[in-house]
Amino acid sequence: MKRRDFLASTAAIGGATLLGPLRARAQGEPQSGGTLVWGHSETTQNLDIHQTGTASTGRVLQNVHESIVTVDADLNVIPNLAESFEVSDDGLTYTFRLRQDVTFHDGSDMTAADVKYSFERCADPATGATNFEVFNAVEAIETPDDYTVIVRLSQVNAPFLARLAENGAGAVLPEGSGDIQGETPTGAGPFRFVRREFGNEVELARFDDYFDGPAYLEGVLAREITEPTVRLTGLRTGELHMINDIPLDRVAEIEGDANLQVVTWFPLNWDFVNFNHDYEPFKDPRVREAFDLMIDKEMLMQGALWGQGEATASPSFPTHASHNDDISPRAQDLARAQELLQEAGYGPGELKVVFKVTTNYPYHVDSAQIMLEWFRAAGVDMTIEQLTWSDWLSQVWVDKDFQMTMMNFFTLWEPDFLYYSLWHSTGGFNYRHIADDALDALLEKARITTDRDERMGIYKEVQAYVQDNTLDVILWFRNGTIGAQQSVQGLDTIVHPNGSELNFHKVWLDA
């Protein structure tokens, strides 16, 4: 069935076919030199690693900054800028022994003072950091010598170490550099920031003093090309060495092209429909549930993603112990949706809703257009307002000026990062005005629960609570894709274990 026929039809379509593990061509002997031109599918925003909340910016900054700890391929926390770490038996004291060979891009050597500064800056409300709550329980940060940092907590925060494995909280910046980070990000990563033309491109250059050895590439030029067809054309003509997010309807075609190579993985991210809980109709859980019942998640995934994903009711990483296997997407039931709206006081045509969607994600626009027909069939008068990425961030993320919207988050493998950030009333990613005392209590309980199995059980309760109360509508996991010229090598190293960010340290060009 052609996609245009699908959009005009209500016939059910078969299930998604999930892509296999990471795939790339056989690798030769690494060579140094050359600048990789990357067709980046999104536009970078605020370049301050503490303040930014967008994965598009994080993909670039992942190569500029380093965190005090990181994760291995199995998502186990391991040392990074710290050469070792210890946690006291009572879970209240974290001692980090720092590497003594780390140099920042400004030429200064990393010491404990830089770590203390970075953590305190992230925790300071005046900074506006999206991950400020990671440090809520921090009582003191001590630096007994230049290469030892001791963090003392006032109460147990079981996920504290894992949260530091993400650059947003764990990045170490040069002491006093906060004022320049938004425009000139400066860290200790394998590439240093050179320049940015907003909305056009970002240039990075190899940092020869990187503690883990210099990168093979001389530099990376990230050209921001949000239009999928233009991005693919640039790859085909050789203007671009690599693109992320192959147009969803062209993946099979590129996989069959002998002149190109494809990397695929599952999942890249998950998507959900959001309600503004301060908008009167959505204060009523019956209205929220009605909208959930209007959506055929499998059909929506097929129509908007061309089957490049899998419907889900849980945003937890599919193989993680926190994933709740006992919940599943609500089936579409327009009749029941109409009943719920009637019970809430909204007859046919009486509920008017504006759905704000960003053109930064073309499949979000497609999704909104498909859902529009279902919503109207259930008696909702909905209009779609398409926004640029910058306008969406300004209106929805910052000002919370919306009624309904749609967004994706990039796997967020660590469950506290995922659930506390998005659903706690004080969470840094809670742009929907969600404030639920019972949910807050569950999330806070998880933080002080040291038994891993018990803590994972709490997160399963959280997932069931979010669905039972229709706080948002979880839709699907989406597959990740990279298309590249045959000359691009080391692609088996490019995808971060978190499934979201890209590392160019070991990527190289075959001349």
Side-chain angles (χ1 to χ4, degrees):
M1 176 183 285
K2 294 183 183 297
R3 186 169 181 275
R4 62 175 178 269
D5 295 329
F6 165 84
L7 294 174
S9 168
T10 57
I13 296 179
T17 299
L18 299 184
L19 297 177
L22 205 69
R23 296 182 291 108
R25 59 167 285 187
Q27 307 298 293
E29 189 67 27
Q31 303 175 20
S32 294
T35 295
L36 182 138
V37 183
W38 163 32
H40 188 189
S41 63
E42 301 177 48
T43 303
T44 55
Q45 302 296 321
N46 183 347
L47 296 173
D48 188 323
I49 190 65
H50 284 154
Q51 296 172 353
T52 192
T54 67
S56 56
T57 308
R59 287 200 195 108
V60 172
L61 295 182
Q62 178 68 28
N63 296 277
V64 174
H65 291 289
E66 290 288 342
S67 53
I68 192 165
V69 292
T70 187
V71 291
D72 63 17
D74 296 316
L75 300 175
N76 298 308
V77 179
I78 59 174
N80 193 35
L81 293 181
E83 64 180 12
S84 67
F85 54 82
E86 300 169 8
V87 184
S88 63
D89 291 340
D90 62 7
L92 295 177
T93 303
Y94 291 74
T95 301
F96 300 94
R97 310 289 180 186
L98 304 181
R99 297 180 63 112
Q100 299 186 30
D101 57 351
V102 177
T103 302
F104 290 115
H105 301 156
D106 64 2
S108 62
D109 294 330
M110 183 191 74
T111 67
D114 300 302
V115 177
K116 178 179 171 67
Y117 168 79
S118 301
F119 288 0
E120 290 180 344
R121 180 177 187 263
C122 190
D124 185 352
T127 300
T130 56
N131 288 279
F132 69 94
E133 33 77 23
V134 173
F135 300 94
N136 280 354
V138 172
E139 190 172 65
I141 300 176
E142 302 168 5
T143 55
D145 59 60
D146 282 349
Y147 296 102
T148 304
V149 177
I150 301 173
V151 180
R152 301 190 187 278
L153 307 185
S154 58
Q155 64 177 12
V156 171
N157 182 354
F160 180 66
L161 197 61
R163 291 295 302 272
L164 294 181
E166 297 285 350
N167 261 332
V172 180
L173 319 176
E175 185 178 10
S177 67
D179 290 345
I180 69 169
Q181 291 291 338
E183 295 295 330
T184 311
T186 303
F191 291 89
R192 58 180 177 80
F193 175 83
V194 176
R195 64 180 179 85
R196 174 175 70 169
E197 296 176 13
F198 188 83
N200 184 30
E201 61 185 25
V202 178
E203 182 181 355
L204 306 178
R206 178 172 60 211
F207 182 52
D208 290 332
D209 293 327
Y210 180 53
F211 69 89
D212 196 27
Y216 300 120
L217 296 169
E218 291 179 7
V220 176
L221 184 62
R223 290 186 177 161
E224 299 171 352
I225 307 172
T226 60
E227 213 293 314
T229 303
V230 175
R231 198 165 59 248
L232 182 57
T233 299
L235 179 65
R236 283 195 174 283
T237 61
E239 179 184 352
L240 305 173
H241 289 112
M242 184 198 99
I243 65 171
N244 66 294
D245 286 349
I246 300 170
L248 296 169
D249 59 325
R250 309 287 291 278
V251 174
E253 173 190 334
I254 302 306
E255 286 182 318
D257 190 330
N259 295 316
L260 299 173
Q261 53 180 324
V262 175
V263 174
T264 61
W265 68 98
F266 172 84
L268 168 67
N269 66 274
W270 57 276
D271 292 75
F272 60 164
V273 170
N274 306 139
F275 310 104
N276 188 330
H277 288 240
D278 259 9
Y279 180 54
E280 187 60 38
F282 295 137
K283 292 180 180 180
D284 191 326
R286 293 172 298 184
V287 175
R288 302 194 302 266
E289 183 179 347
F291 275 89
D292 190 356
L293 289 167
M294 296 175 203
I295 304 170
D296 184 324
K297 286 77 174 180
E298 179 68 20
M299 184 178 286
L300 184 65
M301 187 274 295
Q302 294 288 350
L305 297 189
W306 297 80
Q308 298 290 333
E310 183 179 72
T312 183
S314 167
S316 278
F317 202 83
T319 58
H320 197 273
S322 64
H323 188 276
N324 189 334
D325 298 327
D326 295 330
I327 60 174
S328 57
R330 285 191 177 99
Q332 186 182 56
D333 188 339
L334 295 179
R336 178 57 182 155
Q338 289 173 309
E339 290 176 4
L340 286 170
L341 290 179
Q342 193 72 42
E343 291 174 15
Y346 299 99
E350 293 180 356
L351 179 55
K352 302 181 187 298
V353 176
V354 176
F355 194 112
K356 291 187 176 182
V357 62
T358 174
T359 56
N360 190 63
Y361 302 109
Y363 66 94
H364 283 191
V365 177
D366 292 344
S367 296
Q369 291 169 343
I370 295 170
M371 287 187 286
L372 173 68
E373 300 305 320
W374 291 328
F375 295 165
R376 286 179 174 172
V380 175
D381 182 2
M382 190 184 95
T383 56
I384 299 172
E385 186 174 338
Q386 298 187 30
L387 304 175
T388 65
W389 186 220
S390 294
D391 285 343
W392 188 94
L393 289 168
S394 175
Q395 294 181 33
V396 178
W397 181 270
V398 177
D399 295 337
K400 301 177 176 60
D401 176 20
F402 73 100
Q403 296 171 4
M404 284 187 72
T405 191
M406 178 178 180
M407 189 36 56
N408 58 243
F409 276 81
F410 287 78
T411 47
L412 300 181
W413 63 273
E414 204 291 314
D416 182 72
F417 189 18
L418 171 57
Y419 293 108
Y420 197 104
S421 297
L422 276 159
W423 281 283
H424 193 277
S425 58
T426 67
F429 294 161
N430 182 2
Y431 55 92
R432 288 101 63 224
H433 287 293
I434 293 173
D436 188 300
D437 291 343
L439 185 57
D440 281 359
L442 279 174
L443 292 166
E444 290 161 10
K445 180 181 178 183
R447 283 194 156 183
I448 60 173
T449 301
T450 55
D451 182 271
R452 184 176 185 272
D453 291 341
E454 185 179 349
R455 189 165 74 253
M456 296 305 107
I458 295 171
Y459 289 125
K460 290 178 181 180
E461 290 183 56
V462 169
Q463 292 157 64
Y465 193 95
V466 168
Q467 186 186 46
D468 290 347
N469 294 276
T470 325
L471 301 181
D472 296 286
V473 180
I474 314 299
L475 296 174
W476 57 57
F477 287 113
R478 181 168 69 97
N479 301 337
T481 59
I482 288 173
Q485 302 290 335
Q486 292 286 3
S487 60
V488 182
Q489 303 281 276
L491 286 175
D492 57 324
T493 70
I494 196 170
V495 180
H496 189 281
N498 64 21
S500 305
E501 293 166 336
L502 304 179
N503 294 322
F504 291 98
H505 181 218
K506 297 297 185 182
V507 175
W508 53 282
L509 294 175
D510 186 351

